[in-house]
Amino acid sequence: MAPTSETLTAERILAATEEVLRRHGPAKATVVDVARALGVSHGSVYRHFRTKAALREAVTKRWLDRTSQKLAEIAAASGRDPEARLRDWLAALFEAKRHKAGDDPELFATYTVLTDENGAVVGEHIADLTAQLTRIITQGAGSGTFSVPDPAAAARAVFQATGRFHDPCYAREWTLPGVGEEFTAVVDLLVRGLR
Amino acid sequence: MAPTSETLTAERILAATEEVLRRHGPAKATVVDVARALGVSHGSVYRHFRTKAALREAVTKRWLDRTSQKLAEIAAASGRDPEARLRDWLAALFEAKRHKAGDDPELFATYTVLTDENGAVVGEHIADLTAQLTRIITQGAGSGTFSVPDPAAAARAVFQATGRFHDPCYAREWTLPGVGEEFTAVVDLLVRGLR
DNA sequence: CAGCTGACAGATTTCAATATTTGTCAGCTG
DNA sequence: CAGCTGACAAATATTGAAATCTGTCAGCTG
């Protein structure tokens, strides 16, 4: 926490911003707080990020990218059969979200606010995830496991149909008993539809 | 609009409340406003509804029930083949929501607030809709069109998987170009999964 | 001179005083 | 006497003045 005297980088500012957001929440986190945490004046922060909105956007992107990367590993595991990979990938997405929401609800609420105010970044994130899904489904179509005319469209449909298990607006319901079964039921139905 | 001197019934109060909500929005609609619209004192309103929350809840239920009824007609049209009926029903649900959101966004926003504060009523509404879906799917299973072990579970899965096309939290995206295709893609996938 | 500071104007938020609303009930009225 | 009224206390919302924050920039510093 002690202000190190290393050069001020975008990276260090982002880390400090995450910490301030975690501490104060999205409504009370100010760029003055971030500057104070770094032991610099708030003017210095504006040298690296044009506006507070840009800073928040960068933090949001970082957070979403961490999830994307974890899922990319599953999507890339080309040894496994595509159907199992699809199930794993969807389960991993659900689990990741469910844990984030369950383990630290306040932090999750903070990031929900951030994603709400950064539609463009979320859009790119969704495009990224859909592309991963498309890769899995394309391979499934190639190996004959799946029978789909347009893998990209199928990927979008699968992603949208499972929204209830990854979209933050349903986070409240992820702790209800029986969600696991509901998730399985939806995924089973979709996988059957792809075959 | 002129205060008729008929006896004050729950029905008349509900109608007046809808009007006040339409005019003032959910944040500024008071029970004093409702009483004024009816030409009575607000004490009289409390004779029919214990609290303001109960009044709003009743209005919410009324609104949701109107949608349920329209869909029930489609679900009950037992002449048609179950697959077509399922598609019609889902399309009708989507269209109904999309029009409500598109035609009068402010009123739709008002009812979105109301449904957010009345989770229990919404839960019953969803149970009702799911029961309608279950009936269609059960008939499809009987006639051999669908092959599902548990029609009720399948109905829940179909309803949840199509959330993007009826849940108010996605209302913003219902005007985007291409939603129609997305809807069709998801429904096609689900129907294939049911067969 | 590259990078940081801190004073500043305008925008936004906070907070406490003020006003409105909710919900009750004793009593009026037809 | 069934149903309505309106005065009331407590809860909630509004308001506007004061405090804080955002974003800029001229000038300092190493």
Side-chain angles (χ1 to χ4, degrees):
Chain A
M1 209 50 42
T4 72
S5 52
E6 280 176 62
T7 54
L8 188 61
T9 63
E11 193 52 34
R12 285 186 63 220
I13 293 173
L14 287 174
T17 306
E18 277 189 355
E19 181 58 21
V20 169
L21 280 165
R22 192 188 311 276
R23 279 233 155 77
H24 299 356
K28 291 192 200 161
T30 72
V31 354
V32 172
D33 290 330
V34 173
R36 188 168 27 238
L38 289 162
V40 299
S41 82
H42 74 280
S44 301
V45 173
Y46 280 100
R47 176 162 300 280
H48 294 266
F49 295 93
R50 270 202 304 284
T51 64
K52 181 188 187 182
L55 176 55
R56 288 178 153 231
E57 184 179 282
V59 170
T60 307
K61 187 164 164 33
R62 233 165 104 96
W63 187 67
L64 294 174
D65 282 353
R66 285 201 283 263
T67 300
S68 290
Q69 275 174 21
K70 270 190 251 160
L71 290 167
E73 288 171 28
I74 297 174
S78 46
R80 243 160 123 44
D81 119 76
E83 182 179 314
R85 201 129 47 88
L86 176 60
R87 288 178 188 274
D88 285 353
W89 191 93
L90 290 170
L93 177 57
F94 182 29
E95 272 307 283
K97 294 291 181 108
R98 184 153 63 158
H99 271 113
K100 273 184 195 158
D103 294 349
D104 190 342
E106 280 193 39
L107 186 60
F108 188 78
T110 293
Y111 278 107
T112 301
V113 171
L114 289 183
T115 53
D116 279 349
E117 65 190 33
N118 289 290
V121 171
V122 174
E124 284 165 38
H125 179 238
I126 289 174
D128 183 1
L129 294 183
T130 307
Q132 292 185 23
L133 265 182
T134 303
R135 242 171 291 142
I136 299 176
I137 292 175
T138 301
Q139 286 180 17
S143 74
T145 319
F146 297 143
S147 148
V148 290
D150 180 349
R156 236 176 301 131
V158 169
F159 188 78
Q160 292 176 359
T162 51
R164 170 168 234 264
F165 308 104
H166 61 247
D167 198 311
C169 75
Y170 293 106
R172 280 169 301 170
E173 311 182 24
W174 295 340
T175 54
L176 262 44
V179 245
E181 286 67 33
E182 291 178 351
F183 173 76
T184 308
V186 169
V187 172
D188 282 348
L189 197 55
L190 294 171
V191 168
R192 283 187 57 177
L194 289 172
R195 287 205 276 251
Chain B
M1 208 54 38
T4 71
S5 51
E6 280 175 62
T7 54
L8 189 60
T9 63
E11 193 53 33
R12 284 186 64 219
I13 293 173
L14 287 175
T17 305
E18 277 189 355
E19 181 59 20
V20 168
L21 280 165
R22 192 188 311 276
R23 280 231 154 78
H24 299 355
K28 292 191 199 162
T30 72
V31 354
V32 172
D33 289 331
V34 174
R36 189 170 24 239
L38 289 162
V40 299
S41 81
H42 74 280
S44 301
V45 173
Y46 281 99
R47 176 160 300 280
H48 294 265
F49 296 92
R50 269 201 306 283
T51 64
K52 182 190 186 182
L55 176 56
R56 288 179 153 230
E57 183 180 283
V59 170
T60 308
K61 185 162 164 39
R62 232 164 105 98
W63 188 66
L64 294 175
D65 282 353
R66 284 202 283 264
T67 301
S68 290
Q69 276 174 20
K70 270 190 249 161
L71 289 167
E73 287 170 28
I74 296 173
S78 47
R80 243 160 122 44
D81 117 76
E83 182 179 316
R85 202 129 45 88
L86 176 59
R87 288 177 188 275
D88 285 353
W89 191 92
L90 291 171
L93 178 56
F94 182 30
E95 272 306 284
K97 293 291 180 107
R98 183 150 66 157
H99 270 113
K100 273 184 195 156
D103 294 350
D104 190 342
E106 281 193 39
L107 186 59
F108 188 77
T110 292
Y111 277 107
T112 301
V113 171
L114 288 183
T115 53
D116 280 348
E117 64 189 34
N118 290 290
V121 171
V122 173
E124 283 165 38
H125 179 238
I126 289 173
D128 183 0
L129 294 183
T130 307
Q132 292 185 22
L133 265 182
T134 303
R135 242 171 290 141
I136 299 175
I137 292 175
T138 301
Q139 286 180 16
S143 72
T145 318
F146 298 143
S147 149
V148 289
D150 181 349
R156 239 177 299 131
V158 169
F159 188 78
Q160 292 177 359
T162 50
R164 170 169 234 262
F165 308 103
H166 60 247
D167 198 310
C169 75
Y170 293 105
R172 279 170 301 170
E173 311 183 24
W174 294 340
T175 53
L176 261 46
V179 246
E181 285 67 33
E182 291 178 350
F183 173 76
T184 308
V186 169
V187 172
D188 282 348
L189 197 55
L190 293 171
V191 168
R192 283 187 57 179
L194 289 171
R195 289 205 276 249

